[in-house]
Amino acid sequence: DVKVTQSSRYLVKRTGEKVFLECVQDMDHENMFWYRQDPGLGLRLIYFSYDVKMKEKGDIPEGYSVSREKKERFSLILESASTNQTSMYLCASSSTPGTPNQPQHFGDGTRLSIL
Amino acid sequence: AQSVTQLGSHVSVSEGALVLLRCNYSSSVPPYLFWYVQYPNQGLQLLLKYTTGATLVKGINGFEAEFKKSETSFHLTKPSAHMSDAAEYFCAVSKIGDKIIFGKGTRLHILP
């Protein structure tokens, strides 16, 4: 079974801090994704990556950056946290770029509060 | 551009009653369609998927969905609701490049 592990389930940070959210998958998947989930808005894609050191902006990249130094790890960075970034963050992975019928596998999420 | 519309942000059904969660999509090419479920304080997990072939797709926990091209729909059903089915359900469509487009979700409430 695919395992996607997010480093923290709950996180509380202060405005202006630099925040790192870590995600690791154990199935050698090429594709990794970061979403944020807010009530009534569903899942919105922040960034995704098809390969090591490769990244592409999703629908809402402002205020975020990402890092993928190793295939299994995809980090989301909030450069200067703000209260409007309080949300649930979900990491996902899927195999083989170019095969849109492959479903994504999700971690359990990190509930981030910015005070 | 592809999009997904889920009708009803909240749906309530009685235990033992039929569950019907509606999903319509727009796509310029034959789509790949998914239903995911999210239990409280968890990530999303795949319920079922449609790629090609048989239009009636069976998933886990007794759920199934039917792809109707003429109606651009992919509604999720279960004959008899159970209390453990209470969760949020997301319909999704995939597009070239592996970016999956998710609907806004439907929260299913089961009444005793």
Side-chain angles (χ1 to χ4, degrees), chain A residues 6-73:
Chain A
Q6 295 184 230
S7 55
S8 303
R9 293 297 306 273
Y10 301 93
L11 207 54
V12 179
K13 296 292 182 180
R14 295 206 174 273
T15 302
E17 282 192 67
K18 191 169 186 175
V19 180
F20 294 84
L21 303 184
E22 307 288 346
C23 175
V24 176
Q25 50 93 4
D26 66 357
M27 282 301 292
D28 203 35
H29 282 172
E30 280 78 7
N31 311 319
M32 296 189 75
F33 306 82
W34 275 107
Y35 296 88
R36 65 177 282 176
Q37 182 181 14
D38 300 288
L41 297 179
L43 274 70
R44 292 181 290 168
L45 182 64
I46 305 172
Y47 268 97
F48 61 102
S49 169
Y50 287 152
D51 202 352
V52 175
K53 296 192 186 296
M54 177 272 176
K55 60 185 179 184
E56 287 197 32
K57 293 180 180 179
D59 300 317
I60 52 164
E62 296 78 19
Y64 303 93
S65 63
V66 290
S67 172
R68 193 165 182 200
E69 296 295 319
K70 294 184 178 182
K71 189 175 185 180
E72 67 271 18
R73 185 180 297 271

Side-chain angles (χ1 to χ4, degrees), chain B residues 12-16 83 109-112:
Chain B
S12 295
V13 301
S14 298
E15 191 173 17
M83 296 300 290
H109 304 271
I110 310 297
L111 307 174

Side-chain angles (χ1 to χ4, degrees), chain B residues 46-81:
Chain B
L46 183 70
L47 265 181
L48 50 81
K49 65 177 182 178
Y50 168 79
T51 54
T52 58
T55 56
L56 182 62
V57 181
K58 294 188 184 299
I60 62 172
N61 301 337
F63 284 93
E64 62 183 35
E66 186 170 11
F67 170 58
K68 292 187 176 181
K69 185 178 178 181
S70 61
E71 299 178 7
T72 60
S73 69
F74 191 56
H75 301 331
L76 181 71
T77 61
K78 182 175 180 179
S80 177

Side-chain angles (χ1 to χ4, degrees), chain B residues 21-96:
Chain B
L21 303 182
R22 299 177 187 274
C23 173
N24 288 89
Y25 68 92
S26 66
S27 175
S28 57
V29 297
Y32 298 103
L33 296 159
F34 308 86
W35 275 99
Y36 286 83
V37 60
Q38 184 181 33
Y39 298 104
N41 297 316
Q42 294 186 23
L44 280 68
Q45 60 178 271
L46 183 70
L47 265 181
L48 50 81
K49 65 177 182 178
Y50 168 79
T51 54
T52 58
T55 56
L56 182 62
V57 181
K58 294 188 184 299
I60 62 172
N61 301 337
F63 284 93
E64 62 183 35
E66 186 170 11
F67 170 58
K68 292 187 176 181
K69 185 178 178 181
S70 61
E71 299 178 7
T72 60
S73 69
F74 191 56
H75 301 331
L76 181 71
T77 61
K78 182 175 180 179
S80 177
H82 191 272
M83 296 300 290
S84 61
D85 295 326
E88 189 156 21
Y89 293 79
F90 292 90
C91 182
V93 60
S94 72
K95 66 186 208 180
I96 292 174

